[in-house]
Amino acid sequence: MFRPSTRWSIASLLALGIVIGIAGLLTFDTVLHATSTDEFCTSCHEMQIPLAQLQETVHYTNHSGVSAGCADCHVPREFIPKMVRKVQAAREVWGSITGVIDTPEKYAAHLEEMKAREIARLQANDSQECRNCHTAERMTSIAGEEPKRFHRALASGRRTCIDCHDGIAHPGQEG
C-alpha cells in the first residue's frame, strides 16, 4: 500500500490520480449545477405549488427581465453553506420519494414546518441570499418614511430581510 507499484511508475500513478481527481471534480460540479436548476427543484409535482406562487411575483416577472429562480433564494453561493443546504434539501427530496409531501394536501400539511426551517436558516445567515442581489444601502433610498425606517434597521444589523419579507417569493405564505 505504501510502496511504489512494480507495474506502474510513480509518474503514471500520479497522472492517473490527477485525471481521476479532475473527472471527479467535474462530475461533482455538474451534479451540483444540475440539482440547482428550477427544472430539478420542480421535478417533484408538489413543488409546482411554490413555483406557481413565485411566478406571481416581481422576483419572477418584471420589467428588467431578471428572474430569480429556486436556487437564487434557497441555495447559498459559498461552498460550505451550499453543501450544508444541499444535505438539508435532501429532506424534501426524501419526503417526496417516501410520500410524506408527495401531494398538494400533504405538502400543505407540512408547509409551516418547512417554512419555519427556511426562515430560521435565512435569519441565521442574515438573509444572505437576499443580499446577493439587494443591498441595505440601496433599500434605504426607497421612497416613503416607513420603508426607509425599516431599511435603516436592516442596515444597522438589527433586522434581516426575512423578518419583514417572509412571503415575498411565495405570496399567501406570509407569517
Side-chain angles (χ1 to χ4, degrees):
M1 181 77 172
F2 297 104
R3 283 188 259 147
S5 171
T6 55
R7 259 178 80 185
W8 302 87
S9 71
I10 291 176
S12 47
L13 290 173
L14 183 61
L16 179 64
I18 289 171
V19 167
I20 290 172
I22 289 171
L25 283 174
L26 290 174
T27 301
F28 181 73
D29 185 60
T30 301
V31 169
L32 269 184
H33 177 72
T35 59
S36 295
T37 63
D38 286 351
E39 291 76 23
F40 177 82
C41 293
T42 60
S43 62
C44 300
H45 66 271
E46 64 274 5
M47 290 302 164
Q48 294 301 312
I49 299 166
L51 176 63
Q53 292 169 333
L54 172 64
Q55 289 172 336
E56 296 174 12
T57 70
V58 71
H59 277 100
Y60 190 82
T61 304
N62 54 65
H63 298 295
S64 70
V66 176
S67 179
C70 304
D72 293 318
C73 300
H74 295 284
V75 180
R77 291 182 181 174
E78 301 77 24
F79 183 75
I80 299 296
K82 181 186 290 190
M83 294 301 96
V84 169
R85 180 64 188 118
K86 289 287 188 176
V87 170
Q88 291 169 340
R91 172 186 256 172
E92 285 91 27
V93 173
W94 183 251
S96 182
I97 291 170
T98 59
V100 173
I101 59 169
D102 66 339
T103 67
E105 297 78 23
K106 290 177 183 177
Y107 179 87
H110 292 276
L111 181 60
E112 287 305 312
E113 173 189 343
M114 293 185 294
K115 179 182 173 188
R117 276 196 308 267
E118 190 61 5
I119 288 174
R121 182 186 73 79
L122 286 164
Q123 287 171 329
N125 76 4
D126 195 21
S127 298
Q128 182 57 54
E129 286 70 51
C130 302
R131 293 170 187 277
N132 287 336
C133 299
H134 304 282
T135 64
E137 295 76 29
R138 298 224 26 224
M139 292 291 132
T140 58
S141 67
I142 292 175
E145 239 354 91
E146 190 173 42
K148 284 182 181 180
R149 183 169 42 89
F150 285 126
H151 288 115
R152 280 193 295 270
L154 174 71
S156 72
R158 294 188 315 260
R159 303 282 291 209
T160 189
C161 308
I162 199 68
D163 292 337
C164 298
H165 299 285
D166 66 340
I168 194 76
H170 302 288
Q173 290 186 15
E174 295 87 359

